[in-house]
Amino acid sequence: MAVLPVERKPLSFAERTYMPQIFSGLKTTFKRMIKPAETLEYPEQRPTIPNGYRGVPTLVKDPHGREKCVSCQLCEFVCPPKAIRITPGEIPLESPTGHVEKAPQAFDIDMLRCIYCGLCQEVCPEEAIFLQNQYSMSGYSRAEMVNHKDRLYELGGTLPDKHYKWDKKKSAEDAAAHGGGHH
Amino acid sequence: MFDFFQYPFWLQGALKGLAVIAVIFPLAGACSMAERKISAWMQGRPGPNRATVPWIAWIPVLGPFLQRLGVFHLLADGAKFLFKEEPVPGHVNKLYYVLAPVIALIPALMTIVAVPFGAYLDGAGRVVPLILANVDIGILGVFAISSLGVYSLIIAGWASNSKYPFLGGIRASAQLISYELSMTLSVLPVFLWINVPGGQGTLSLAQCVAMQGGAWFGIWMPLSAFIFLVSLFAETNRQPFDMPESEADLVGGFHTEYGAFKWSMFFVAEYAHMLIGSGVFALLFLGGWNPLPWVSLADLVGWLQHLTGWAFVLHPLAVGLISIGIFLGKVLFLIFVFMWVRWTVPRFRYDQVMQLGWQKLLPLAIGNLILYALIIAWVQTRI
């Protein structure tokens, strides 16, 4: 490409007095001054959260109130800052969800370590952990900043479930047990 | 009713002085609040709007309005500055460290003595200025006292015994002394015009206003007004001539080592300088208490009396209040211009400040003086 020499004009007299630029600047700031403010007054006004926002990670239940986490610990192992700590536990066989076999005994997420990357949500085979809309976490001590299992369920609430994976499994097992040898 | 004029002379003087200080001190504080609000609006923010006083918050519309305006932050800030711990760094020169804010405040409040702030009509219909000391040195007194303010910055910079305040102090002395020259030269045409041949020589600001019943000096001496205004920005250490403070490169400049009440004294002094500087500008170039160009205070009061038919409009108290209102309005508008410029223009570099002062403004002021001296000599010999 050809080199185009650009003429560098010396500053005009008006420019050297600074005044035209200062006056145009004053015009800009005055216009800005009489317009309404752009900011949100935070605690009273909250921003609208866009879809797909990654807030505080939470645990959710399915519409029947069953806790979805089966303590497979995939999220614990994928978590880059190692914020998640799960102690697996068993579900007694005689309980209605006994066929699920496992549930977390303890589930702690250290919010001082969490980097809100969302890998736990992505890796979860049970759709049990979601990064939801809450963006503000505060506490007076390090211990307070660790979300325990009950707090995680309280934050997460219940989300609609399209699959009912374990209900289907149970009805299939039941049908197999009753129908006997048809397949 | 006590007769004020029966009091001994010194008591009258002290009471009048206290009354003026009681107005200018809170006004200077209110300016700092206005500065925060105006900067906020210019940056698209609401600004301070949280503090409130319970009894006032209960008033339906006015309470929330005042709260949104941030009026009570002024009280909160003042109380904070009063009750805060005042640490004195170990490495400072204690005497001068404490002395500097005092020296800042005293000349700032003292200049008001020679500045008239209103007028009334006496029985014969003559305009009598309201002024603490109606002395003939007028503008000279204002310049002499207000330029003492630079000592506070130099002393603060030196007493703080660390490098940033020291640099701030040096810049302050260089800048203030450079711009004083063009400032003084720029007002000379006004006083050349006032001192009519054959009349009594005067430097009085009240006389200045009396001569502006017709065209304001700002209209036919725009260059003088411009040079004076630019020097005023420099003299009051306002942006774009914020050299002594320049928080970007000198932390806080001369007041880096100061805190709490001493720091707030520097700021009340700065705003008092601004108020008085704007007052002098209004008196010299914007007609003082004359409401509009070609409309003098006496005309206005005469019209009001003619229109309404109320005799009390001509009462000295009413005229005094009207004139103070007009004058204060102009001063507050100028204060707004100061803030408007501050939140628009970035700071000049130190060498640019010096170049502007010595190579641009000073020759301009001298040329302006010579030009107007010739014009005035030509005009006044022909009237």
Side-chain angles (χ1 to χ4, degrees):
Chain A
M1 186 151 170
V3 175
L4 296 178
V6 179
E7 191 196 352
R8 298 194 181 184
K9 290 178 190 153
L11 293 177
S12 69
F13 174 74
E15 279 167 341
R16 273 183 289 140
T17 63
Y18 302 112
M19 292 322 284
Q21 283 72 29
I22 288 179
F23 280 118
S24 70
L26 288 174
K27 201 176 98 190
T28 309
T29 44
F30 190 79
K31 272 197 216 151
R32 178 59 263 178
M33 191 180 75
I34 49 182
K35 272 195 271 183
E38 302 278 357
T39 50
L40 280 179
E41 290 178 41
Y42 168 62
E44 293 93 20
Q45 299 172 346
R46 301 292 178 120
T48 47
I49 306 288
N51 284 333
Y53 184 79
R54 298 204 304 250
V56 172
T58 60
L59 290 178
V60 299
K61 294 184 173 169
D62 80 352
H64 302 315
R66 180 185 66 82
E67 62 174 309
K68 293 173 87 173
C69 176
V70 295
S71 66
C72 66
Q73 292 176 294
L74 275 179
C75 54
E76 182 175 350
F77 298 132
V78 80
C79 182
K82 301 194 189 330
I84 301 178
R85 178 114 201 143
I86 300 171
T87 313
E90 279 182 24
I91 304 178
L93 256 181
E94 58 275 15
S95 92
T97 54
H99 61 295
V100 184
E101 294 180 5
K102 281 176 81 186
Q105 205 176 49
F107 197 118
D108 300 331
I109 304 183
D110 186 351
M111 292 314 296
L112 293 175
R113 298 197 68 95
C114 176
I115 57 170
Y116 299 84
C117 62
L119 284 187
C120 49
Q121 174 180 344
E122 208 146 309
V123 83
C124 183
E126 297 287 327
E127 299 190 354
I129 188 163
F130 280 92
L131 274 70
Q132 295 196 41
N133 286 352
Q134 198 197 339
Y135 48 82
S136 139
M137 283 285 298
S138 56
Y140 290 101
S141 62
R142 283 168 188 275
E144 236 175 285
M145 293 301 288
V146 178
N147 283 338
H148 297 298
K149 191 177 149 185
D150 45 349
R151 175 85 181 122
L152 288 170
Y153 278 117
E154 186 191 320
L155 286 172
T158 303
L159 283 189
D161 187 334
K162 287 199 279 289
H163 314 298
Y164 294 108
K165 172 178 167 188
W166 291 97
D167 290 352
K168 280 178 193 160
K169 183 169 189 238
K170 191 173 187 186
S171 49
E173 275 174 5
D174 286 350
H178 289 291
H182 278 295
H183 50 116
Chain B
M1 186 72 194
F2 304 102
D3 192 351
F4 182 75
F5 296 101
Q6 295 300 313
Y7 288 160
F9 178 71
W10 63 268
L11 190 60
Q12 278 189 34
L15 285 177
K16 281 197 265 187
L18 282 179
V20 171
I21 288 179
V23 171
I24 209 159
F25 204 98
L27 210 57
C31 282
S32 70
M33 196 64 238
E35 176 106 60
R36 289 172 69 187
K37 267 323 236 194
I38 287 172
S39 71
W41 292 331
M42 283 182 175
Q43 295 164 357
R45 307 180 273 128
N49 60 358
R50 292 304 161 103
T52 188
V53 181
W55 307 283
I56 295 175
W58 295 333
I59 304 172
V61 182
L62 188 68
F65 174 73
L66 289 180
Q67 186 191 359
R68 297 289 301 173
L69 213 56
V71 175
F72 306 111
H73 280 266
L74 181 60
L75 303 177
D77 284 353
K80 182 194 79 176
F81 281 133
L82 268 178
F83 295 113
K84 232 174 136 169
E85 184 190 358
E86 287 204 53
V88 176
H91 54 77
V92 301
N93 183 327
K94 295 225 169 33
L95 173 67
Y96 294 120
Y97 180 81
V98 175
L99 202 61
V102 178
I103 295 181
L105 201 57
I106 289 176
L109 293 180
M110 216 159 79
T111 26
I112 192 69
V113 166
V115 177
F117 44 84
Y120 63 93
L121 305 174
D122 68 356
R126 275 181 303 146
V127 177
V128 184
L130 289 169
I131 183 171
L132 285 179
N134 196 0
V135 284
D136 245 359
I137 56 167
I139 187 82
L140 194 60
V142 173
F143 281 163
I145 300 170
S146 69
S147 60
L148 288 179
V150 67
Y151 286 105
S152 80
L153 307 193
I154 298 173
I155 289 178
W158 184 76
S160 293
N161 192 16
S162 72
K163 59 185 168 187
Y164 294 125
F166 184 67
L167 284 173
I170 287 177
R171 286 183 180 187
S173 52
Q175 175 187 326
L176 297 196
I177 290 164
S178 329
Y179 280 80
E180 240 155 46
L181 286 170
S182 4
M183 190 177 206
T184 319
L185 285 174
S186 72
V187 298
L188 282 182
V190 172
F191 288 94
L192 278 180
W193 176 250
I194 288 175
N195 290 290
V196 193
Q200 201 191 356
T202 182
L203 286 173
S204 154
L205 287 164
Q207 179 62 23
C208 219
V209 179
M211 298 285 282
Q212 293 183 80
W216 292 352
F217 291 141
I219 293 174
W220 71 279
M221 297 182 184
L223 198 57
S224 288
F226 172 72
I227 298 171
F228 188 81
L229 193 63
V230 173
S231 321
L232 201 59
F233 274 94
E235 286 293 302
T236 48
N237 303 330
R238 294 292 295 187
Q239 216 87 286
F241 302 100
D242 197 12
M243 279 301 116
E245 196 185 327
S246 47
E247 68 272 9
D249 42 341
L250 290 189
V251 190
F254 65 95
H255 61 63
T256 305
E257 305 286 351
Y258 283 85
F261 199 65
K262 292 195 211 65
W263 182 86
S264 71
M265 271 162 85
F266 277 122
F267 272 77
V268 171
E270 186 185 319
Y271 283 107
H273 270 301
M274 266 168 69
L275 277 168
I276 289 161
S278 319
V280 172
F281 185 81
L283 291 168
L284 285 174
F285 297 108
L286 295 183
W289 45 80
N290 293 318
L292 286 172
W294 291 283
V295 179
S296 73
L297 180 67
D299 293 343
L300 176 79
V301 177
W303 290 348
L304 274 180
Q305 204 251 348
H306 185 71
L307 277 174
T308 57
W310 297 330
F312 71 82
V313 176
L314 286 179
H315 189 276
L317 206 59
V319 179
L321 285 179
I322 292 173
S323 65
I324 291 178
I326 293 169
F327 178 61
L328 214 56
K330 287 179 187 175
V331 170
L332 293 182
F333 172 73
L334 280 169
I335 294 282
F336 169 71
V337 172
F338 269 99
M339 293 174 184
W340 187 11
V341 170
R342 170 168 179 186
W343 297 103
T344 303
V345 185
R347 191 185 0 261
F348 283 126
R349 236 169 29 227
Y350 181 61
D351 62 310
Q352 287 174 322
V353 170
M354 285 295 114
Q355 195 207 16
L356 212 64
W358 289 101
Q359 296 185 353
K360 302 271 168 63
L361 273 191
L362 187 60
L364 200 63
I366 294 172
N368 177 54
L369 174 62
I370 293 170
L371 177 70
Y372 274 97
L374 293 176
I375 294 175
I376 288 167
W378 189 78
V379 170
Q380 276 185 341
T381 48
R382 266 158 192 77
I383 311 176

